[in-house]
Amino acid sequence: MTIGRIISGQPLSDQEESFNQSLRPKLLSECIGQHNVREKLSIAIEAAKKRQEPLEHILFYGPPGLGKTTLANVVANEMEAKVRCTSGPALAKAGDIMGLLSNINTGDVLFIDEIHRLSTPVEEFIYPAMEDFKVDYTVDSGLHAKTINFPLKRFTLIGATTRAGLLSAPLRSRFGMMYHLDFYTVDDLTQIVARSAKMLNLQYEPGTLELIAACSRGTPRVANRLLKRVRDYAQVKGSGVLSTKIVESSLKMERIDKLGLDELDRAVLRALVDVYEGGPAGIEAIAATLGEERDTLEDVVEPYLLQIGFLRRTKRGREITQQACEHLGLKVQKKKPPDSEMELF
Ligand code: ADP
């Protein structure tokens, strides 16, 4: 159900990934929004350059599609360094990362996406690499096994995660800088869509980009994806120019409402009302009710619903808010507790 979901923060295909890459800002000055993070990064980069030292290790965390990979590449560009990219699930054993580390040059960036999914042996293997720029690598096995102490060049590890909470304390403590990426404002997203529209040579009427931005749930990847959908729609159903009517019809066809909620968001909220009397309900239970992955709900659906005040997270589970009920025209009906006498039978 989630795979083709237009408002998912995750890239949907290789084709989309290359589309994303073409729109990715290359330098800090080209990035939009995240002012606080950009300012801190720019100071750290300037200071490291003045000292002619590699940057400290950096961790970017926040929901998918907010620009963690983009910033990792921007940092490498600003440091005029090479970047090597990998991801937590791709590094199953120490040997997988050894190849990357041994080829790395001074100042280069090693980017590990989904770093919370590193296996324990790999995680433990990279501790000395991050701290002392050396690794203990075991070759052969059994009687012939020997450990080689392998010195590494001073590099910068940039990790990205949607779940900083899942990172072990020893790994977290080895990052010199940790930046949380927030959802973008509609103004920022409008600028991002305007930049992409310019790069794609799109013509648009005033106010149309704001409409797309408002439905992008604070996420640049979603904004660019919606722009692409609207562009297709405008080319097939209109003259290619984005007009208010074209944008509205296209979003309606994608079943995205004015706040950027799609079928899955609405299904989560509806399940809370219909099945769990408004909650509290555990995320696992909601996922099972909808036949969805728990991770999808936690990574993509929940952060935005929490942000706009449609969901409350309590110790006992998730609850729907009055605001969400009003938006969807839902009414929570608490079932009466059973009569105590009836309970006897
Ligand atoms: P993440 O790694 O957090 O999932 P990405 O870095 O892949 O997110 O960003 C997704 C897309 O959003 C990129 O392709 C890029 O076009 C756009 N984007 C992200 N951050 C910005 C930004 N600050 N300014 C402009 N566009 C951005």
Side-chain angles (χ1 to χ4, degrees), residues 9 20-21 23-25 30-34 63-71 184 192 195 220-221 224:
N20 272 337
Q21 271 176 21
L23 298 180
R24 247 182 207 142
E30 293 170 16
C31 291
I32 295 156
Q34 307 291 348
L66 295 192
K68 297 179 291 296
T69 311
T70 303
L71 279 175
Y184 292 63
I192 290 175
R195 179 178 173 272
R221 183 180 290 135
N224 284 336

